[in-house]
Amino acid sequence: MHEATVAQSLIEVILQEARKRNARPVRAKMSCGELNRINDDVLSFAFEAVAQGTPCEGMTLRIEHKPLQGRCKPCGRVFAVDVSNPHCPGCRSEEFELLPDAPLVLDEIEFERADDGEG
Amino acid sequence: MEKADVGRKILGANETCALKNKQFLARHGKRCFNMISSPGSGKTSLLVRTITDIGQSLRIGVIEGDLQTDIDAERIRATRAPAIQINTEGACHLSAKQVSQALEGLPIENLDLVIIENVGNLVCPSAFELGEDGKIVVLSVAEGDDKPVKYPGIFAKSKVLLVNKIDLLKGGMVDFDLDRVFADARRLNRDIEIFPVSAKTGEGMQKWYDWLTSQARSH
Ligand SMILES: Nc1nc2c(ncn2[C@@H]2O[C@H](COP(=O)(O)OP(=O)(O)OP(=O)(O)O)[C@@H](O)[C@H]2O)c(=O)[nH]1
Ligand SMILES: [Mg+2]
Ligand SMILES: [Zn+2]
């Protein structure tokens, strides 16, 4: 599965950001949309494996899943689309426009500065 | 401790490379499509039939992605069309970088169109842009009519859905509700073009040829 590629790319991006700040990354948060769904367990496992021996070793990764959204044509409401039964929860209409799905994004990283230490 | 808002696309490096491919193709005025399906839905058979039937008027170059072997590229070359094989050696999808190398191997000036046959997999390839003008998803009737609901990503992202092996519907060999597939695919993707076809008998292929030809000519 492509979780391995995602893990590899994720670590590369984290390492670039860490180098810029000259700090050690300890936690990261990423997000993905419904149509770019990834499996949390598989990704976490791959992330741990790829992190071995890099400054990312031991980091914790949090994954947020963003729902697919649609905008109802009759009433304009923006709602989370249930792919197996998509309809507007307001007016029950099945006429809606699909909004762009969230891509895979590294949202934030928490760093520990070299001088954070025990103090 | 310090928190940094990064907001970077994780597959950004692939997207940058895909953009370069897109620019390369645009510079040469060629369209490119990325064909995605489960293993064995008939991607190569559809390409072979398409090239055999209309290859004289529409010159198609093919990039073949498989885990291993160059069987598919050989099948394409047997039609005399140029084909470049990429072996991903275990990876479940093609990357933009692999495609950029393959593009250099194609005689791009002598072509009207480039088609990439991605690695057989209905999930992973849809996350990796290659620089294509559009994705073409192939679903064969033997796979079942519930696939657009079960694998919404690729159906939502594709320009065209080819429902292949419709010859198997004759005589009730397979239970497959074509109307359901139309409805489910269009619910997620209002603009998707759907062509029920058979690479074996040629049924329904003309509409697909007309679409493909109009795409190549509209540059
Ligand atoms: N009955 C029938 N069989 C077909 C049709 N198209 C393809 N096949 C058969 O389906 C099998 C797989 O076809 P391929 O063209 O190799 O499928 P593919 O999608 O390229 O396969 P991979 O590249 O391995 O993912 C072969 O045995 C084909 O003969 C069709 O329209 N009807
Ligand atoms: Mg094939
Ligand atoms: Zn509504």
Side-chain angles (χ1 to χ4, degrees), chain A residues 1-2 5 9-10 13 16-17 21 26 36 73 83 86 98 104-111 113 116, chain B residues 1-11 92-93 123-124 126-128 149 152-153 156-157 187-188 190:
Chain A
M1 294 313 254
H2 67 293
T5 313
S9 311
L10 191 54
V13 177
Q16 284 169 10
E17 296 293 328
R21 294 174 173 80
V26 285
N36 293 303
K73 279 203 187 155
V83 169
L98 208 58
L104 293 160
V105 172
L106 172 62
D107 298 301
E108 56 185 48
I109 312 175
E110 280 178 59
F111 293 100
R113 288 234 170 256
D116 272 1
Chain B
M1 207 73 93
E2 167 191 322
K3 195 183 263 183
D5 288 328
V6 181
R8 279 181 63 179
K9 281 196 182 178
I10 294 166
L11 301 177
C92 51
H93 60 273
V123 184
C124 310
S126 78
F128 297 85
V149 189
K157 290 175 188 174
R187 201 171 287 135
L188 291 171
R190 267 178 308 153

Side-chain angles (χ1 to χ4, degrees), chain B residues 2 10 23 36 43 64 93 113 127 152 167 197:
Chain B
E2 167 191 322
I10 294 166
Q23 288 163 346
I36 297 174
K43 298 179 292 300
E64 282 290 346
H93 60 273
L113 189 69
D167 55 289
V197 294

Side-chain angles (χ1 to χ4, degrees), chain A residues 85-102:
Chain A
N85 179 22
H87 64 265
C88 169
C91 71
R92 321 294 303 169
S93 167
E94 289 183 8
E95 288 289 305
F96 62 90
E97 177 198 355
L98 208 58
L99 300 179
D101 191 43

Side-chain angles (χ1 to χ4, degrees), chain A residues 2 33-38 68 81 83-84 98-102, chain B residues 34 36-37 121-129 132 135-138 146-161 184-185 187-189 192:
Chain A
H2 67 293
E34 176 78 15
L35 300 179
N36 293 303
R37 222 193 160 92
I38 38 111
L68 185 61
V81 175
V83 169
S84 59
L98 208 58
L99 300 179
D101 191 43
Chain B
N34 180 3
I36 297 174
S37 80
N121 183 317
L122 211 44
V123 184
C124 310
S126 78
F128 297 85
E129 294 295 322
E132 71 270 17
K135 295 179 178 53
I136 293 166
V137 57
V138 182
D146 55 2
K147 294 303 167 289
V149 189
K150 284 189 180 165
Y151 300 86
I154 183 59
F155 292 90
K157 290 175 188 174
S158 292
K159 261 199 175 144
V160 172
L161 162 58
D184 287 347
R187 201 171 287 135
L188 291 171
N189 184 346
I192 194 167

Side-chain angles (χ1 to χ4, degrees), chain A residues 39-106:
Chain A
N39 181 295
D40 291 11
D41 290 340
V42 179
L43 182 61
S44 301
F45 182 80
F47 183 82
E48 249 183 75
V50 184
Q52 293 278 331
T54 78
C56 293
E57 191 169 334
M59 273 184 82
T60 45
L61 175 67
R62 195 156 63 80
I63 305 163
E64 182 195 354
H65 291 270
K66 297 198 167 167
L68 185 61
Q69 292 192 310
R71 184 184 292 114
C72 177
K73 279 203 187 155
C75 80
R77 178 163 171 167
V78 172
F79 61 96
V81 175
D82 170 2
V83 169
S84 59
N85 179 22
H87 64 265
C88 169
C91 71
R92 321 294 303 169
S93 167
E94 289 183 8
E95 288 289 305
F96 62 90
E97 177 198 355
L98 208 58
L99 300 179
D101 191 43
L104 293 160
V105 172
L106 172 62

Side-chain angles (χ1 to χ4, degrees), chain B residues 48 60 62 82 88 97 103 109 120 124 128 140 143 153 169 178 202 213:
Chain B
V48 166
I60 301 173
V62 178
T88 61
K97 185 146 185 234
L103 279 171
E109 285 306 334
C124 310
F128 297 85
S140 64
E143 295 164 59
L169 296 177
L178 206 50
T213 306

